[in-house]
Amino acid sequence: MKRYKSIHMVRMEHLNHHANLYAGQGIEWMMESTFIAACLAHGDAAGLVFKNTHQFNFMKSVQLGDIIGYESVVVRTGRTSMTMRVGMVNEMTGELMAEGYATYVTIDPETRKPLAHSVVLDETTDPEELKWRKTADGFFGR
């Protein structure tokens, strides 16, 4: 699937009391990245709403001045749902700092009723993407 990327620089106002990136700020940026990717994949921001987050995991501390990239990709689709995987990467070192998953559902913007989408996972042999898809399936008992 197509991967969508956004980048942020960590500034003083993003730090916690340990002088690292505040987890809430990191998750906010991760959610922003997944929503943007879901909107672009679906093609309609008005017909997309947040459903659930899954397994946010911070592996490394992010420091003041770090430039971090967020890469989101659709890893699971249902009739009306899409699950996105997002990775937070230090752009200078290439290290994976955090990752998580978020699910969005598609609705009719006027009636707010569930509406089927046309997003279909492509065929892939990429072992990393296959792992993400398996992880996402596990959130739904598949």
Side-chain angles (χ1 to χ4, degrees), residues 2-142:
K2 182 174 179 177
R3 297 182 186 195
Y4 301 89
K5 191 162 189 172
S6 58
I7 296 176
H8 290 275
M9 184 179 78
V10 178
R11 299 187 318 263
M12 289 290 290
E13 61 266 27
H14 304 137
L15 303 181
N16 62 20
H17 61 290
H18 297 291
N20 298 319
L21 176 65
Y22 171 59
Q25 180 65 69
I27 290 172
E28 179 182 332
W29 288 338
M30 292 169 93
M31 293 302 301
E32 176 184 73
S33 177
T34 61
F35 183 74
I36 290 168
C39 287
L40 293 172
H42 177 51
D44 178 17
L48 192 66
V49 293
F50 169 77
K51 171 72 173 148
N52 199 357
T53 58
H54 317 273
Q55 188 184 325
F56 278 99
N57 185 20
F58 285 76
M59 287 83 82
K60 304 239 181 195
S61 294
V62 178
Q63 308 296 314
L64 177 65
D66 283 353
I67 298 169
I68 48 178
Y70 293 88
E71 186 176 84
S72 295
V73 61
V74 179
V75 292
R76 182 189 174 278
T77 58
R79 188 178 71 79
T80 64
S81 66
M82 285 182 280
T83 301
M84 315 298 294
R85 185 267 181 186
V86 58
M88 176 200 300
V89 174
N90 182 312
E91 290 294 311
M92 299 302 285
T93 66
E95 287 181 280
L96 180 65
M97 309 304 278
E99 71 177 331
Y101 295 81
T103 297
Y104 296 88
V105 292
T106 52
I107 60 166
D108 179 306
E110 292 180 22
T111 66
R112 310 290 289 173
K113 302 261 187 222
L115 183 68
H117 59 71
S118 60
V119 178
V120 178
L121 291 179
D122 59 2
E123 295 294 322
T124 185
T125 57
D126 179 347
E128 190 172 53
E129 194 164 330
L130 290 170
K131 181 184 90 168
W132 298 337
R133 290 180 182 192
K134 183 177 180 180
T135 299
D137 282 343
F139 300 134
F140 298 90
R142 288 166 109 189

